[in-house]
Amino acid sequence: MTEEASIVKGADWVLCEERGPGVPEGIYGVACMTCEARSPLFDDDQLPVAVWAIQHVQQEPAHRQFIATTERHWRVHPRSGPTPPAPDSFLQRAAGPAFVGLMCLLTALAGLLPAALN
Ligand SMILES: [Zn+2]
């Protein structure tokens, strides 16, 4: 079973941080900003990354700046739960064609304006 914490909820979709067995909370890594050296990636533990950075400075004393990255697993899934009540559905059905009609009208007017100015 996957335990999820909601990050963002849209109208129809929910973005969650994916958690559960086999899914690391974070994947940590670090890259030297002076050369191309990169640490291996470690799941759920920043300490090996910190040790790698210190060892890199010991080997290359002038290389002292790093970019540390944390990767996380996200998942977007359809919003579950009760379906919207009928009045909302009716409003969306009615507003949809009206909005498209308005956009067509505005597009037509925008096309006419430059011609009127010339
Ligand atoms: Zn370096």
Side-chain angles (χ1 to χ4, degrees):
M1 183 170 169
T2 303
E3 182 191 330
E4 294 173 326
S6 170
I7 297 172
V8 174
K9 287 182 182 174
D12 300 317
W13 300 93
V14 180
L15 188 147
C16 294
E17 204 167 293
E18 187 153 56
R19 296 196 183 135
V23 180
E25 197 172 302
I27 304 167
Y28 300 100
V30 69
C32 177
M33 292 177 66
T34 309
C35 71
E36 298 289 312
R38 288 176 174 274
S39 75
L41 298 176
F42 294 92
D43 288 357
D44 296 326
D45 193 0
Q46 294 186 67
L47 185 61
V49 177
V51 169
W52 182 93
I54 289 170
Q55 287 176 343
H56 187 68
V57 173
Q58 287 171 341
Q59 291 165 4
E60 303 284 346
H63 299 192
R64 295 185 181 186
Q65 288 186 298
F66 299 89
I67 296 177
T69 57
T70 305
E71 297 177 15
R72 295 185 199 280
H73 290 249
W74 285 3
R75 178 188 290 271
V76 175
H77 60 82
R79 178 192 274 272
S80 57
T83 54
D88 286 347
S89 300
F90 172 75
L91 190 64
Q92 284 168 359
R93 278 198 302 270
F99 179 74
V100 171
L102 182 64
M103 288 310 292
C104 288
L105 185 64
L106 290 173
T107 303
L109 287 174
L112 288 174
L113 280 175
L117 290 173
N118 286 340

